[in-house]
Amino acid sequence: MEVNRDEAERCIDIAAAALKIHQPEKALRFLEKAQRLFPTEKAQALLDLIARNGFTPRHGAHSDFSDVSGPRQRQAPHEDTKPEEKPSDTSRSYTAEQLEAVRRTKQCKDFYEILGVQKDFSEDELKRSYRKLALKFHPDKNQAPGATEAFKAIGNAYAVLSNANKRRQYDQWGEEGRHPSSSGPENGHFEPDISPEDLFNMFFGGGYPSSNGHVYTNGRMRNQRRERRERPRDGGLAVFVQVMPILILVIVSALSQIMVNSPSYSLSFRPSAGYTQKRLTENLKVPYYVGEQFSKEFTGMNLKNLERSVEDDYISNLRNNCWKEKQQKEGMLYRARYFGDSELYQRAQRARTPSCAKLSEITASLH
């Protein structure tokens, strides 16, 4: 499906990076995942490359490649190797620099130090710092001991500091001297609303959190659905207690819709139920739809005030869409530069931001 294309591209990028550091098993896993999500010729070409180099997945089997496009090089087995000896686990290789970076992160005293920003940071500084550190400590890139915990701490730090309310609470209660990545009850006030992996995907994959997200716990990633299946089934009363808030919410929502009048206009792109008459605002020529009795109910100042609300809502929607378009484009550019993917870089450069263009056009007309 088209919605899985960005995630498939990310899997291909990870696979290409794994081949460069001699990890064909990992590359094969991500390429197969990419083909399941969104089949592409690029992923198939890399799969064919692994097959030509003689790699066949089995327990204890490892093949090394000098380069993604280089000739086949297979390690010759030592004659004196005992049958019970197992080959070294190359998939867990890491450098001394990565290990030292993990150690420094674990020694940080607060979220500000983890992200390397001052308390008067700007929004752009916070985003730049998170992008740099998230790429550096992501478990697919950094496999040093403790890297997963460091990646989780970086995500938690950004999730808290980017939220004005949580940041204000953290500044007030964060002087206890507890490490930000601890999961004890004392630190429950600053639990983020999004998992580190979902936050990473928002920045670099162009996607948004899904209900089947993964959670890092004690250095391992577990699937939330699997956890829910493994939980023992509660009795009928417990199920009713869990469902009761949802029932109350549905009832309150239904009552509110009955008691509250329908909006006077709709900003949809086509007619809808109750909004069949198309109009344009007098100032910015913003299209909107109204009901059949609109002309009788709104005249003079009432009409001007309503059209001002229409234009404010329209500009607000443009700002939100513009921000999303920029985030997606910046994420693609970062991935392209980091993995050296020229094709992805060109695609990111060509990516359009229509909402931003329309917003600039309106801003210019107002001055």
Side-chain angles (χ1 to χ4, degrees), residues 25 60-62 64 75 85-93:
E25 286 182 331
H62 293 274
D64 287 344
Q75 293 181 340
E85 289 181 351
K86 295 182 180 180
S88 61
D89 189 1
T90 58
S91 65
R92 300 298 299 172
S93 60

Side-chain angles (χ1 to χ4, degrees), residues 5 25 46 214 231 240 328:
R5 182 169 184 171
E25 286 182 331
L46 289 174
H214 295 85
R231 290 176 182 170
F240 176 75
Q328 184 171 359

Side-chain angles (χ1 to χ4, degrees), residues 24-40:
E25 286 182 331
K26 177 179 176 182
L28 184 63
R29 288 199 309 272
F30 278 93
L31 289 172
E32 290 175 345
K33 179 180 178 182
Q35 288 295 77
R36 290 195 299 271
L37 291 171
F38 189 85
T40 60

Side-chain angles (χ1 to χ4, degrees), residues 37-57:
L37 291 171
F38 189 85
T40 60
E41 294 182 359
K42 184 177 180 180
Q44 188 59 49
L46 289 174
L47 286 170
D48 294 341
L49 177 65
I50 294 177
R52 287 199 303 271
N53 279 273
F55 173 73
T56 54

Side-chain angles (χ1 to χ4, degrees), residues 268-283:
S268 61
F269 295 104
R270 57 182 61 88
S272 57
Y275 303 97
T276 57
Q277 308 297 319
K278 184 177 181 180
R279 293 177 61 95
L280 297 175
T281 61
E282 182 178 357
N283 185 20

